[in-house]
Amino acid sequence: MPSDEANGTAGGPGARPILGTPDDFEERPAGPGRFLAYLIIGAIVAIMAGGWGYVMVAARGNPEVRAEVIAFDASAPTSAQITFSVHKPADREATCRLRAVDTQHIEVGSREIDVPRGKSDLAFTERLKTSAQATAVHVQYCNLV
């Protein structure tokens, strides 16, 4: 004998879904309440997007100062040398932090360099003392003073 489910009569004759069917609900009029809800949700999303944009811009650091590594030499066991250029406004001073790291990216030496006002593009060659063999040297940051 076939089951009730196979006949489409599960739950007995005339069984209806517990929560009803779409035809059981009347149409809701599109009023100002629905528009207001969408407006509030849109404002929240716009504020969150603006906040995220601010975080992303702030994470880049100071965009008015850029440092570019030209070359570095980390062959000496107790020191490392770096040649880098700094691009900044000519009327402002800056401070740059140089950092030497080993194979596990552990800092083995660092030094801060003051960049004087007067020129906007300057090149430097600096030597850092290291506590162990460095494998890389980079400019960690440059900030206007």
Side-chain angles (χ1 to χ4, degrees):
M1 180 168 179
S3 70
D4 287 338
E5 290 178 330
N7 293 333
T9 59
R16 298 182 46 95
I18 293 173
L19 297 177
T21 63
D23 296 331
D24 294 339
F25 301 101
E26 61 186 58
E27 282 293 318
R28 286 186 280 175
R34 186 177 283 180
F35 175 74
L36 183 61
Y38 289 140
L39 184 67
I40 291 171
I41 290 170
I44 290 171
V45 168
I47 289 169
M48 290 174 62
W52 183 250
Y54 173 77
V55 166
M56 296 307 291
V57 168
R60 285 210 46 194
N62 190 347
E64 294 184 42
V65 181
R66 285 190 338 265
E68 297 174 15
V69 175
I70 298 169
F72 69 87
D73 178 15
S75 59
T78 59
S79 67
Q81 183 173 313
I82 182 171
T83 302
F84 65 101
S85 63
V86 177
H87 309 284
K88 63 168 189 60
D91 61 338
R92 303 280 306 268
E93 294 179 18
T95 299
C96 296
R97 184 171 193 269
L98 309 177
R99 184 172 185 235
V101 294
D102 65 4
T103 56
Q104 296 179 354
H105 302 283
I106 296 173
E107 184 176 293
V108 294
S110 67
R111 182 174 173 196
E112 285 199 354
I113 303 296
D114 293 326
V115 181
R117 70 180 72 198
K119 292 186 178 179
S120 60
D121 296 323
L122 299 164
F124 296 91
T125 299
E126 297 291 332
R127 183 167 298 281
L128 284 78
K129 292 182 180 179
T130 59
S131 59
Q133 177 72 49
T135 56
V137 186
H138 64 270
V139 180
Q140 188 173 10
Y141 62 80
C142 283
N143 293 324
L144 293 176
V145 179

